[in-house]
Amino acid sequence: QVQLVQSGAEVKKPGASVKVSCKASGYTFTSYGISWVRQAPGQGLEWMGWISAYNGNTNYAQKLQGRVTMTTDTSTSTAYMELRSLRSDDTAVYYCASFNSSGPFDYWGQGTLVTVSS
Amino acid sequence: DIVMTQSPDSLAVSLGERATINCKSSQSVLYSSNNKNYLAWYQQKSGQPPKLLIYWASTRESGVPDRFSGSGSGTDFTLTISSLQAEDVAVYYCQQYYSTLFTFGPGTKVDIK
């Protein structure tokens, strides 16, 4: 069955960077894209961007441009999301989700809590 | 970007009664070449990741109970829970995937009255 397993919780200081991983199994990794979505405590879902696991093309939300980088390692079927210059309002649960090229987000990772605190 | 809005922000419904959630997009998400609405609904229970319920505005994901239904076209959409069960307590989000700058609605919290 399809599974997306994310790395564990992180605590970072303001100004630092974090890199979250998302390991896929149960499907052909390069046939789908991976999107990243975050959710601040008590808030709604915020789409961050996506990466094509087929060719590495990316598309980022404008508000995160310049601070976020999404990559994949097809040899291990793993996607990564790096966020730099962390601020307190980056504290959130970060999710990865798989999607077909023209479809919704059908499978989700379990989420990774990133806490930014001095 | 396509802006998604939802109403109401929250609602409380008696067990067995109908719950209706509305979603509106700032521009049409109907793709004329295939006549499909690029609109999905997700359910998020407390402490869990979102779960896909409905896509193409009205197609239920495999395994989703048939008390969940989606309708609408263009810019106005509705998620209906025909007979609310205790396990349906959750926040429900609509999402457009017409644009690859995907956007979610703010969510509607559904509780038991």
Side-chain angles (χ1 to χ4, degrees), chain A residues 65-78:
Chain A
Q65 291 270 3
R67 286 208 300 140
V68 68
T69 301
M70 296 176 187
T71 57
T72 59
D73 181 346
T74 56
S75 69
T76 60
S77 298
T78 303

Side-chain angles (χ1 to χ4, degrees), chain B residues 33-106:
Chain B
S33 66
N34 60 11
N35 202 36
K36 287 187 173 182
N37 287 283
Y38 284 58
L39 189 285
W41 289 95
Y42 299 85
Q43 175 193 63
Q44 186 179 31
K45 296 181 179 180
S46 181
Q48 296 183 17
K51 172 189 171 185
L52 177 63
L53 287 181
I54 295 209
Y55 56 98
W56 304 131
S58 61
T59 302
R60 266 188 308 275
E61 175 73 328
S62 175
V64 172
D66 60 7
R67 63 180 180 272
F68 291 93
S69 64
S71 63
S73 184
T75 61
D76 291 278
F77 301 91
T78 300
L79 175 70
T80 302
I81 310 172
S82 60
S83 175
L84 191 76
Q85 305 300 303
E87 62 265 32
D88 301 334
V89 168
V91 180
Y92 293 83
Y93 296 92
C94 61
Q95 178 216 24
Q96 66 78 23
Y97 49 99
Y98 180 91
S99 162
T100 54
L101 298 175
F102 303 106
T103 45
F104 290 92

Side-chain angles (χ1 to χ4, degrees), chain B residues 17-32:
Chain B
E17 296 301 303
R18 179 185 300 261
T20 301
I21 301 168
N22 300 301
C23 172
K24 192 175 184 69
S25 56
S26 62
Q27 65 186 73
S28 175
V29 298
L30 174 63
Y31 197 41
S32 55

Side-chain angles (χ1 to χ4, degrees), chain A residues 43-62:
Chain A
Q43 301 302 306
L45 303 173
E46 178 187 11
W47 174 74
M48 301 177 66
W50 59 260
I51 181 167
S52 165
Y54 174 70
N55 58 17
N57 286 350
T58 55
N59 199 353
Y60 302 138
Q62 187 168 9

